[in-house]
Amino acid sequence: MTRMTAICCSRGLIALMTTLAFLGSITSAVASTSYHPHSDIIKQAKIFIEKNINHSQFTKVEINMGQLDHRLNLNKCTHPLQTNLSPGSQLSGKSTILVKCSSQKPWTVYIGAQIKLYKEAIATVRPLDRGHILTAQDLTPLETEITSLNQGYYNDKSSLIGQQLKRRLPQKRIIKANYITPPTMVKRGELVTIIAENTGFSVKMNGKALANGTKGDRIRVKNLSSKRVIEGTVMTHGVVNIH
């Protein structure tokens, strides 16, 4: 091959490569304008979530969006995308957002999201034993993800003070509704005061509790004088009222 032929071949190769690169850029440009960007679809879904969560109710909100399959090609939407909550879903925990295009070539996709909502809930200051009666000094507010608390929680100390623990709790444990019970005010076998009330008079008698009871419980007690077994309402520690 002569030097002139080599130069011609080289120039031809460069021209071919330039043409292919140009065609490739055109193809890429066409593809990018023909399909709707996944990033925009996900962005609109997140905006929907942000707008529909009342941020003032929470100390912090975390939203982690899912991704669309990279093989999914959706026609470029010429209308604003429509977003809504998927039927049966909610704006907390695992959620699904519906994104819809209503242009001439319509489509609908669903995007998953993990939504974490944080609030201050009442927790233990220190380890507490089963049967402990809660005081203000036992309790403190603690920021926590409430979406994972499926048994309820408390955000006010006053509603917990005086309640009795049904189980041992470690330090910084959020107190759930199923961890507490009203305190036992009468224990089975202990001596109690029986109060019999009627219009215009009240009589006190000594008795023996035949069951445990919290305030308002109806329990059976034995009158130690008459030996009769009667039923009354627990009023306070060691006191049963018979109406």
Side-chain angles (χ1 to χ4, degrees):
M1 181 182 295
T2 65
R3 184 170 181 275
M4 182 61 69
T5 304
I7 291 173
C8 290
C9 290
S10 177
R11 287 177 178 175
L13 181 59
I14 291 171
L16 177 61
M17 293 176 64
T18 302
T19 302
L20 291 174
F22 177 71
L23 291 174
S25 64
I26 292 176
T27 303
S28 177
V30 170
S32 64
T33 55
S34 299
Y35 300 125
H36 206 99
H38 286 189
S39 59
D40 182 59
I41 298 171
I42 296 169
K43 177 184 176 182
Q44 296 306 316
K46 187 173 184 179
I47 289 174
F48 171 83
I49 296 172
E50 292 277 7
K51 285 184 176 179
N52 287 276
I53 290 178
N54 186 350
H55 287 251
S56 64
Q57 293 184 356
F58 309 101
T59 57
K60 184 170 63 175
V61 175
E62 292 180 354
I63 303 171
N64 295 309
M65 300 300 300
Q67 299 296 318
L68 294 171
D69 191 326
H70 69 278
R71 296 167 296 181
L72 181 65
N73 292 323
L74 300 166
N75 293 314
K76 183 75 173 179
C77 194
T78 56
H79 294 171
L81 294 179
Q82 299 172 315
T83 51
N84 211 332
L85 196 61
S86 177
S89 194
Q90 58 185 2
L91 293 173
S92 65
K94 290 183 178 180
S95 185
T96 305
I97 308 302
L98 179 153
V99 183
K100 184 177 180 181
C101 172
S102 298
S103 58
Q104 291 183 344
K105 295 181 179 180
W107 47 259
T108 300
V109 293
Y110 295 87
I111 302 175
Q114 181 68 39
I115 305 170
K116 295 182 179 181
L117 307 174
Y118 292 81
K119 273 188 176 183
E120 284 194 342
I122 303 302
T124 56
V125 172
R126 56 189 175 84
L128 299 173
D129 291 330
R130 180 176 181 269
H132 178 79
I133 305 298
L134 294 171
T135 67
Q137 289 70 37
D138 298 324
L139 309 170
T140 187
L142 183 68
E143 186 180 66
T144 188
E145 184 197 345
I146 63 168
T147 45
S148 61
L149 299 179
N150 55 11
Q151 293 293 335
Y153 62 95
Y154 297 85
N155 53 21
D156 182 15
K157 284 185 182 182
S158 62
S159 57
L160 288 169
I161 293 173
Q163 296 294 311
Q164 188 172 10
L165 291 180
K166 296 167 64 175
R167 52 175 289 184
R168 188 179 188 280
L169 297 180
Q171 185 181 19
K172 294 185 178 181
R173 172 61 61 85
I174 300 298
I175 299 178
K176 299 180 182 180
N178 61 333
Y179 291 174
I180 60 171
T181 185
T184 301
M185 293 190 169
V186 171
K187 294 182 179 180
R188 179 179 181 180
E190 76 174 3
L191 297 179
V192 297
T193 298
I194 302 172
I195 299 178
E197 293 181 330
N198 207 332
T199 304
F201 71 90
S202 175
V203 178
K204 292 184 179 181
M205 298 162 282
N206 293 324
K208 182 179 181 180
L210 301 180
N212 293 338
T214 63
K215 186 175 182 178
D217 286 349
R218 297 282 292 177
I219 65 168
R220 296 167 68 235
V221 292
K222 184 176 183 180
N223 186 324
L224 295 181
S225 298
S226 65
K227 308 302 181 185
R228 288 181 56 208
V229 174
I230 49 183
E231 190 176 85
T233 302
V234 177
M235 303 301 293
T236 185
H237 290 283
V239 178
V240 178
N241 186 287
I242 300 172
H243 299 285

